């Protein structure tokens, strides 16, 4: 997977910008608040995923404009492909994110999943180890949505059913035929939930050994990192989830909301048999994140057949020398785009430098 060309119109603070990334390393540099992360975000949007900044679609459009356009040309499977992503503001003719692939309409941007693949590292990722389960589920879901379109479909339907079932559980006593309705929801939840669980299991089975190996390399074997999928049922199947839902039925009626299912699952992260969240030092936790994200890229590459583009937002400055060197070495193997305020860290590499200032990008320094 290689991004060859990117052109932006009215994306965030970038009125018009062109980027021709290096096949290996591109360094977006400039002071704070100039548009480096915005440029990286635009590359990410080509995956069809929502912004890694967690912002709403409308925020992607440059203030005062009706549309933003991100167009990327990339090489995949030996051929060149073009993605054109348009974000329309609320009152515009075509609100939301819509996409074209090689000129053909794809409808919603999410339909792009499985074409352009990227993995993002950003400073907030420490939450993957330190934070609650929802961050780890988001990690799994973001990776799987990119690899399998059907996963995204199953996840959306599942989450909608959870909301509907929660509403039912809240007004159970005053809803006619509530019991039958609950049976119907549970049956559908088991179907979509089972698909989600099977994919999560398969993905983490591949991820765990890769993450453990990466951690070993980063820490020179100082301690062992293990990653395990904590499935909500006896097995990652629709049948097992159906049994689980039947078992918690009474408790759910008392609680008034859904108590079991993939929307409450987690990953168990351990260092030498202790929870990494509690026992890991800040440095060890950073190593866990680095090991997991690089493993994600490797596994996505194996499942998809091509290694994703690595997008690194301001992460290098947070790592110590050893970890920086490790990351820089691993980066060398695949196309990588990084942002930094401090070009010194990249003096050791021969990456292409792109200067970003006031919403403009240039291969020559600004005066
Ligand atoms: N929709 C938007 N329209 C115009 N400017 C925006 C929009 N969204 C964000 N910005 C601006 O982009 C700038 C931040 O850019 P960013 O890429 O995060 O900077 P950095 O170079 O530090 O990574 C801020 O000045 C912010 O006000
Ligand atoms: Mg930034």
């Amino acid at each position: 997977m290689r991004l060859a060309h990117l052109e932006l119109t009215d994306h965030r603070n970038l009125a018009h910008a062109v980027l021709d990334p290096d096949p290996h390393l591109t360094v977006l540099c400039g002071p704070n608040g100039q548009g480096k992360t915005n440029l990286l975000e635009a590359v990410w949007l080509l995956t069809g995923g929502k912004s890694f900044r967690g912002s709403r679609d409308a925020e992607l459009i440059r203030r005062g404009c009706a549309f933003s356009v991100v167009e990327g040309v990339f090489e995949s499977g030996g051929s060149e492909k073009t993605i054109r992503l348009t974000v329309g503001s609320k009152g515009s003719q075509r609100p939301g994110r819509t996409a074209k692939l090689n000129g053909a309409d794809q409808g919603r941007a999410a339909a792009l999943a499985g074409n352009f693949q990227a993995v993002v590292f950003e400073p907030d990722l420490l939450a993957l180890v330190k934070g609650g389960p929802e961050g780890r589920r988001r990690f799994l879901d973001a990776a799987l949505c990119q690899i399998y379109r059907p996963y995204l479909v199953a996840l959306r339907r599942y989450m909608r059913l959870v909301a509907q079932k929660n509403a039912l559980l809240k007004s159970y006593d005053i809803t006619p035929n509530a019991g039958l309705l609950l049976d119907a929801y549970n049956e559908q939840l088991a179907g979509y939930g089972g698909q989600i669980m099977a994919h999560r299991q398969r993905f983490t089975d591949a991820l765990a050994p890769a993450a453990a190996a990466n951690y070993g390399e980063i820490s020179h074997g100082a301690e062992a990192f293990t990653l395990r999928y904590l499935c909500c049922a006896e097995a990652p199947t629709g049948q097992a989830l159906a049994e689980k839902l039947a078992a918690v039925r009474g408790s759910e009626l008392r609680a008034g909301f859904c108590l079991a299912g993939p929307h409450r699952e987690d990953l168990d992260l351990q260092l030498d048999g202790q929870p990494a969240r509690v026992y890991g030092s800040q440095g060890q936790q950073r190593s866990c994140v680095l090991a997991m994200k690089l493993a994600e890229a490797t596994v996505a590459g194996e499942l998809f057949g091509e290694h994703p583009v690595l997008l690194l937002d301001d992460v290098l400055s947070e790592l110590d020398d050893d970890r920086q060197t490790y990351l820089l070495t691993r980066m060398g193997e695949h196309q990588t785009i990084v942002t930094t305020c401090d070009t010194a860290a990249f003096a050791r590499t021969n990456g292409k430098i792109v200067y970003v200032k006031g919403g403009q990008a240039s291969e020559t320094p600004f005066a």
Side-chain angles (χ1 to χ4, degrees):
M1 185 71 48
R2 187 169 85 80
L3 182 67
H5 182 77
L6 182 78
E7 187 159 349
L8 311 179
T9 309
D10 295 328
H11 172 74
R12 300 236 189 223
N13 71 332
L14 301 138
H16 181 246
V18 173
L19 179 71
D20 293 299
D22 185 83
H24 300 286
L25 177 63
T26 306
V27 182
L28 306 176
C29 71
N32 282 323
Q34 302 303 309
K36 303 182 297 295
T37 303
N38 293 344
L39 200 48
L40 208 64
E41 174 188 51
V43 177
W44 166 260
L45 291 177
L46 299 174
T47 63
K50 291 194 73 77
S51 167
F52 56 80
R53 298 191 128 176
S55 40
R56 275 182 274 159
D57 289 350
E59 294 163 27
L60 301 171
I61 308 166
R62 192 157 77 97
R63 276 190 277 280
C65 300
F67 288 96
S68 80
V69 180
V70 175
E71 187 166 286
V73 180
F74 62 102
E75 279 163 28
S76 168
S79 66
E80 204 171 77
K81 295 180 182 167
T82 303
I83 285 176
R84 186 182 166 91
L85 187 98
T86 306
V87 190
S89 63
K90 238 186 177 155
S92 69
Q93 271 180 340
R94 245 187 140 175
R97 292 181 303 143
T98 49
K100 282 185 177 179
L101 178 65
N102 297 331
D105 237 315
Q106 306 292 302
R108 294 281 135 195
L112 288 172
N115 287 290
F116 179 75
Q117 308 249 329
V119 168
V120 189
F121 290 75
E122 31 123 12
D124 284 353
L125 280 174
L126 204 53
L128 206 49
V129 179
K130 287 178 92 127
E134 65 282 356
R136 288 179 288 277
R137 285 194 297 269
R138 215 178 306 122
F139 163 79
L140 283 178
D141 291 340
L144 283 161
C145 282
Q146 262 196 80
I147 304 172
Y148 310 105
R149 176 96 221 283
Y151 185 88
L152 175 71
V153 176
L155 187 65
R156 285 224 174 121
R157 302 222 166 118
Y158 177 85
M159 293 311 291
R160 198 179 313 139
L161 283 161
V162 167
Q164 289 170 332
K165 181 174 156 184
N166 276 335
L168 172 66
L169 288 170
K170 218 174 265 164
S171 58
Y172 197 82
D173 294 338
I174 54 162
T175 307
N177 295 321
L180 288 175
L181 204 52
L182 186 55
D183 288 341
Y185 283 153
N186 279 346
E187 192 183 329
Q188 292 184 63
L189 283 165
Y192 293 119
Q195 290 177 40
I196 294 167
M197 289 150 69
H199 280 304
R200 286 181 178 175
Q201 182 73 62
R202 195 162 86 100
F203 182 70
T204 38
D205 282 348
L207 193 74
N214 289 343
Y215 191 93
E217 280 182 42
I218 300 167
S219 67
H220 307 291
E223 57 273 321
F225 176 49
T226 50
L227 178 158
R228 215 161 43 91
Y229 169 49
L230 298 175
C231 181
C232 65
E234 286 292 316
T237 62
Q239 176 65 31
L241 179 56
E243 285 163 16
K244 178 81 190 177
L245 292 177
V248 298
R249 190 183 177 105
S251 319
E252 286 188 328
L253 286 172
R254 279 189 297 279
F257 61 92
C258 300
L259 292 177
H263 66 292
R264 297 181 60 130
E265 288 183 334
D266 200 355
L267 288 175
D268 178 37
L269 311 178
Q270 299 197 345
L271 287 169
D272 278 346
Q274 302 289 339
R277 173 181 178 182
V278 186
Y279 293 98
S281 69
Q282 185 97 338
Q284 287 171 329
Q285 292 176 344
R286 281 194 205 292
S287 297
C288 293
V289 172
L290 200 56
M292 279 171 78
K293 290 301 284 188
L294 286 169
E296 177 196 346
T298 305
V299 172
E302 281 164 4
L303 294 177
F304 188 72
E306 275 181 274
H307 197 281
V309 176
L310 297 177
L311 306 175
L312 276 53
D313 194 20
D314 276 334
V315 288
L316 219 56
S317 55
E318 302 208 339
L319 301 175
D320 61 22
D321 267 358
D322 266 7
R323 291 194 191 92
Q324 278 195 9
T325 308
Y326 175 75
L327 185 56
L328 288 167
T329 318
R330 287 290 301 265
M331 272 161 41
E333 300 163 18
H334 309 285
Q335 189 180 35
T336 307
I337 306 177
V338 304
T339 70
T340 183
C341 301
D342 160 31
T343 40
F346 292 91
R348 289 182 258 168
T349 68
N350 48 3
K352 176 180 199 168
I353 308 267
V354 174
Y355 302 88
V356 181
K357 195 175 168 191
Q360 288 186 297
S362 162
E363 291 186 19
T364 51
F366 291 95

